[in-house]
Amino acid sequence: MATIAERPAQQAGLPQAKDFLPLNGTDYVEFYVGNAKQAAYYYRAAFGMRLVAYAGPETGLRDRASYVVQQGKIRLVLTTPLRPGNAVADHIARHGDGVKDIALWVDDAVSAWRETTKRGARSVREPWVLKDDDGEVRMASIATYGDTIHTFVERKDYRGVFLPGFQAIADDPVSRPVGLLHIDHIVGNVGWNEMNNFVDFYRNVMGFDMFQSFDDKDISTEYSALMSKVMSNGNGRVKFPINEPAEGRKKSQIEEYLEFYGGPGAQHLALATDDIVHTVSKLREQGVEFLRVPDSYYDDLKQRIGKIDESMDDLKRLNLLADRDDEGYLLQIFTRPLEDRPTVFIEIIERKGARSFGKGNFKALFEAIEREQASRGNL
Ligand code: FE2
């Protein structure tokens, strides 16, 4: 059984220790990509993100270019190297396109860096300040799984569109918004027997609590076993499930990821909407490809899920998944990988009270993933 193993202290009514790492939410997610100009176009045209800022040689950068795309509170930064032999190029050579930085919005970046490094975080970059005419931003970075980092971003003294040095883009004629609102969670894949090390990291170094855990009895199909624990910060705005592979008859989907990404990294970003029927209809029109569950998934869904606001016809037509817990229900769907490598993908989620992660869908979902794995020759 999946259990809500521990709740953040305020939900359980326990006395609260002072949160040493107060987080306002995710600030941005930075991808290192082989061609940021084209990647930005994909996220704008397919996912409806709006291009809001740019930095590159025209703004004084010599080694990289970055495009900032946004929808609701979701902000992605797509960064590409302009020449070989720098850190961005090396990251792409090792991993392909992928998530480099899950940046966290804080009120005090120096304190965030000091409190986490004091508790054992590896510093990637000591606190620094960026300034321009719109004010200043303080930042600092620490390492998490694989080559992935967390940058703390303190922007209370900044009025600009993103960060100092970025040029604002007033108007985006390409963007076709689909109603995406905020990041619900970001999942990391780590290696064999590493999950608990990162659970300890998020607990001890970042002050997170375990929110839920799933073991291989919950989420193994015949082939694709994995284990997962969901870590949440104190106010619940930041949730990081951590997956590791588990023994199955054939290669786990997590192993496939680790092999093609070249180690641990971010597996998926879950983006929230408050009208998933609208959002997924638009995404499909705009060419986003989703995993398919068979029509038989819908045969007993009505009994399993009970009364919901959406029509079963819409769910079936759009191939949406539904699950219920004791607080409500949720609707979700998963894209196919966003790159040629079977690595990062996106989940679209609408929560109607439920705070869980769709355990009831794992079997149908993983069977869909395995069909794709088999078609790639990786099962
Ligand atoms: Fe998810």
Side-chain angles (χ1 to χ4, degrees):
M1 269 296 285
T3 46
I4 297 195
E6 284 169 44
R7 296 282 177 125
Q10 78 271 28
Q11 289 161 12
L14 300 171
Q16 261 201 74
K18 190 177 171 303
D19 188 354
F20 64 82
L21 184 61
L23 301 176
N24 300 322
T26 307
D27 195 282
Y28 62 86
V29 178
E30 183 170 28
F31 288 72
Y32 281 177
V33 298
N35 185 335
K37 182 179 281 194
Q38 290 187 7
Y41 188 85
Y42 172 73
Y43 286 100
R44 294 154 69 203
F47 284 90
M49 316 280 301
R50 187 164 56 91
L51 180 64
V52 296
Y54 167 81
E58 301 85 346
T59 68
L61 292 184
R62 301 314 302 160
D63 66 337
R64 65 183 69 190
S66 293
Y67 295 73
V68 183
V69 298
Q70 191 166 343
Q71 189 169 179
K73 293 178 182 162
I74 305 157
R75 183 154 53 194
L76 308 182
V77 181
L78 304 158
T79 294
T80 200
L82 295 176
R83 54 187 80 222
N86 66 34
V88 183
D90 292 349
H91 194 276
I92 295 166
R94 225 175 0 255
H95 301 296
D97 289 7
V99 172
K100 174 62 187 180
D101 191 355
I102 301 167
L104 300 168
W105 177 25
V106 298
D107 289 331
D108 187 339
V110 173
S111 162
W113 180 84
R114 197 190 311 117
E115 293 297 325
T116 49
T117 51
K118 191 169 85 185
R119 290 170 170 82
R122 181 168 66 79
S123 175
V124 171
R125 191 167 173 194
E126 292 188 13
W128 77 97
V129 185
L130 292 173
K131 291 183 194 186
D132 68 10
D133 292 346
D134 288 319
E136 59 181 54
V137 174
R138 269 168 292 277
M139 302 168 84
S141 303
I142 61 168
T144 178
Y145 43 77
D147 288 328
T148 317
I149 67 172
H150 291 305
T151 295
F152 301 116
V153 183
E154 172 191 333
R155 52 173 67 258
K156 61 180 185 294
D157 299 320
Y158 194 64
R159 298 171 302 277
V161 64
F162 178 54
L163 291 177
F166 278 77
Q167 182 181 85
I169 308 288
D171 188 37
D172 183 351
V174 172
S175 168
R176 300 180 286 204
V178 298
L180 295 171
L181 299 174
H182 61 265
I183 293 176
D184 186 275
H185 58 275
I186 300 176
V187 179
N189 282 343
V190 300
W192 290 96
N193 306 313
E194 281 188 356
M195 176 179 67
N196 285 328
N197 297 343
F198 285 95
V199 166
D200 289 346
F201 170 83
Y202 281 106
R203 182 188 280 128
N204 301 335
V205 171
M206 306 275 286
F208 285 36
D209 283 309
M210 199 198 301
F211 186 69
Q212 284 178 329
S213 69
F214 308 96
D215 62 24
D216 48 358
K217 284 182 286 302
D218 290 310
I219 44 183
S220 67
T221 61
E222 193 179 357
Y223 300 134
S224 198
L226 67 82
M227 295 199 283
S228 187
K229 289 182 176 172
V230 182
M231 303 305 290
S232 171
N233 83 315
N235 61 21
R237 290 185 199 172
V238 178
K239 290 198 189 71
F240 294 145
I242 306 292
N243 295 336
E244 73 174 26
E247 286 296 346
R249 257 190 46 191
K250 291 197 180 174
K251 186 188 283 180
S252 157
Q253 55 170 292
I254 310 303
E255 278 182 280
E256 187 196 35
Y257 175 102
L258 295 169
E259 181 184 331
F260 283 83
Y261 195 69
Q267 180 209 39
H268 74 266
L269 278 60
L271 307 180
T273 170
D274 60 9
D275 185 351
I276 197 168
V277 171
H278 167 74
T279 297
V280 172
S281 299
K282 289 272 288 180
L283 289 170
R284 285 191 180 281
E285 270 169 43
Q286 292 172 188
V288 174
E289 296 179 315
F290 293 96
L291 289 180
R292 239 203 116 69
V293 294
D295 288 351
S296 58
Y297 172 84
Y298 296 92
D299 292 349
D300 62 346
L301 183 61
K302 206 161 187 169
Q303 290 95 290
R304 198 153 61 71
I305 197 76
K307 194 178 155 16
I308 59 172
D309 301 334
E310 296 73 18
S311 85
M312 280 292 154
D313 289 347
D314 281 342
L315 265 55
K316 194 168 176 177
R317 177 172 58 84
L318 295 169
N319 214 238
L320 300 174
L321 307 175
D323 196 27
R324 185 176 279 284
D325 64 22
D326 43 11
E327 294 174 289
Y329 68 95
L330 62 82
L331 301 165
Q332 62 188 167
I333 190 167
F334 298 82
T335 71
R336 301 183 67 214
L338 302 176
E339 319 76 20
D340 293 293
R341 297 192 195 199
T343 54
V344 187
F345 60 89
I346 281 181
E347 170 183 354
I348 308 295
I349 184 166
E350 180 175 4
R351 296 185 178 279
K352 295 281 186 83
R355 292 192 300 148
S356 52
F357 291 82
K359 175 176 76 91
N361 292 321
F362 287 166
K363 189 164 190 296
L365 180 65
F366 289 1
E367 284 167 356
I369 291 174
E370 281 158 18
R371 280 193 296 278
E372 298 232 328
Q373 250 181 288
S375 75
R376 292 188 284 261
N378 295 331
L379 192 64

